[in-house]
Structure formats: structure tokens, C-alpha cells
Amino acid sequence: MLIRNANINDLDEIVSVHMLAFKGFFLTNMGEPFLKLLYQGFIGLEKGVIRVVEMDNKIVGFSAGTVSPNTFFSELKSTNWLSFAFASILGILRSPIITLKKLYGALFYKGDAVESIENGALLSSIAVLPSYSGKSIGAELLKDFENHILSLNINNQLYLTTDKYNNDRVVSFYKNAGFNIDSEFSQSGRRVMYRFVKKLQR
């Protein structure tokens, strides 16, 4: 198992892992062109972090996040807004009402600064190919992401969000990894989310 920084040549495999790991999720339904733009941002922008794990000569999982949640997404939007608009067409055709509501929220989204979490890095996503589940790859990716954030010497906390309901396995995964529930909030009016946080020990 090799975990390393992603590069632009990994983009197709990263998107493929996402599509298989997150079937039925909103971002998946936006389609591959949208996902390529999103993960290209995590790879190319200075404040983005994306790590990939290789096994059997292929990418089987990845972690993605940012060291500056309050500015990263604004920068991503400002540099690629027209491309994102064109890439959103597939999602609009599939689910016009839901997609337009989400895009409206994204348009006025100014980052993810959380008052209760000072100097925190954000873990946006961990994904593993379903065919490689049960091999502790997710746990290794999480440990690696924490260590990588520590090595950058920028943040002293790491946080993430995940669903509160019908999500016991994921909630247990983060609790077992030392994360604590900081707060809960509603996303898109109905979806209740947990915000988990962990202090990083140097």
C-alpha cells in the first residue's frame, strides 16, 4: 500500500473511485465533468490537499480536504465558475429542482469557517473502491491525512461533517479514530449533519 500526493494524471482514477464509492450521492449525480473540475481544484490550488492510495498498480482510494476551509471554496469558485456552470448541465437535466437549489447555495457559499473550531483543516472526503472494502484502507487514509496536515505545520485541528441518521458505521469510524462531535446542523433544510473535530497532536 502506497499513499502519496495526487497529481493531475490521477484525475480520471480519482473520479472513477468517487463514482463507485458514492453511488446515488448528489455530487455523483452531477457527473464526471463536474467531479473532474472539483478534484482538479483540490490538486491544483495551493490550499487544497488530496492524497491517493495505490494497490495492485492502481488507485483504490483517496482523501481530499483543505488547510483553509474559509477561503478554499471561494477561490475554487472564482477561478472556475464558468466551467462549473457548463459542467452542471448534466446534473440539472437529471434533477433540476434539487440541483438548482444546491447550486444556488454553492453560489453564495463563502467558505466553511466554524467559530468553535479555530485553525482547523477540513477533511472533505474519504473514498475507497467498494471492491477493496474491509482492508482498513479508509483508516490508513485518515491516519495519513492527519499526519500530512501535521507535517504542513499550519493547522492544529481537523474537522469534517457527516450525516447523523442512517450512518452508524461512518459515525463509529470517526469516533473510534478519536474525533468528537462538535455540533450538529441542518443542511439543505432537512439533512441533519454532525460536525466532528479532533485536536492534532504534534
Side-chain angles (χ1 to χ4, degrees):
M1 183 185 299
L2 170 67
I3 303 179
R4 59 170 174 80
N5 281 327
N7 60 64
I8 200 66
N9 295 321
D10 300 322
L11 195 54
D12 287 340
E13 286 188 271
I14 290 169
V15 170
S16 179
V17 171
H18 178 110
M19 296 289 288
L20 292 169
F22 298 123
K23 287 184 177 180
F25 281 64
F26 170 74
L27 285 178
T28 307
N29 290 334
M30 292 297 290
E32 293 186 14
F34 188 93
L35 289 171
K36 282 185 178 180
L37 278 172
L38 176 64
Y39 289 118
Q40 183 178 319
F42 280 107
I43 293 171
L45 294 179
E46 181 182 358
K47 295 170 183 175
V49 176
I50 185 162
R51 306 276 288 170
V52 294
V53 55
E54 291 183 332
M55 293 179 68
D56 304 325
N57 297 313
K58 64 181 179 182
I59 291 173
V60 300
F62 68 87
S63 59
T66 172
V67 297
S68 182
N70 60 326
T71 62
F72 174 79
F73 295 100
S74 295
E75 183 180 356
L76 179 63
K77 181 176 59 181
S78 65
T79 55
N80 291 293
W81 69 270
L82 186 58
S83 297
F84 274 114
F86 281 112
S88 301
I89 292 173
L90 179 59
I92 293 171
L93 291 174
R94 286 175 172 170
S95 305
I97 295 176
I98 293 174
T99 300
L100 288 171
K101 283 183 177 179
K102 293 270 190 178
L103 289 175
Y104 178 84
L107 181 65
F108 294 99
Y109 180 65
K110 297 180 179 179
D112 194 23
V114 182
E115 291 183 4
S116 62
I117 303 173
E118 295 183 5
N119 197 29
L122 171 67
L123 174 61
S124 296
S125 181
I126 285 183
V128 177
L129 284 175
S131 57
Y132 281 77
S133 64
K135 300 180 184 292
S136 300
I137 296 173
E140 291 299 322
L141 277 168
L142 179 58
K143 186 189 305 180
D144 168 82
F145 193 88
E146 292 180 21
N147 289 336
H148 184 74
I149 293 298
L150 276 171
S151 73
L152 298 175
N153 201 31
I154 298 173
N155 311 101
N156 55 28
Q157 297 187 86
L158 178 62
Y159 73 98
L160 59 100
T161 62
T162 192
D163 289 276
K164 177 178 179 178
Y165 298 115
N166 302 314
N167 197 30
D168 292 346
R169 183 179 63 83
V170 174
V171 168
S172 295
F173 171 75
Y174 287 114
K175 284 183 175 179
N176 290 337
F179 284 79
N180 297 305
I181 297 172
D182 171 77
S183 56
E184 63 179 77
F185 61 98
S186 293
Q187 191 176 76
S188 301
R190 297 180 180 178
R191 187 178 174 189
V192 182
M193 309 291 291
Y194 278 139
R195 183 177 285 110
F196 279 96
V197 63
K198 180 178 182 179
K199 292 188 181 298
L200 299 175
Q201 302 296 324
R202 300 186 185 280

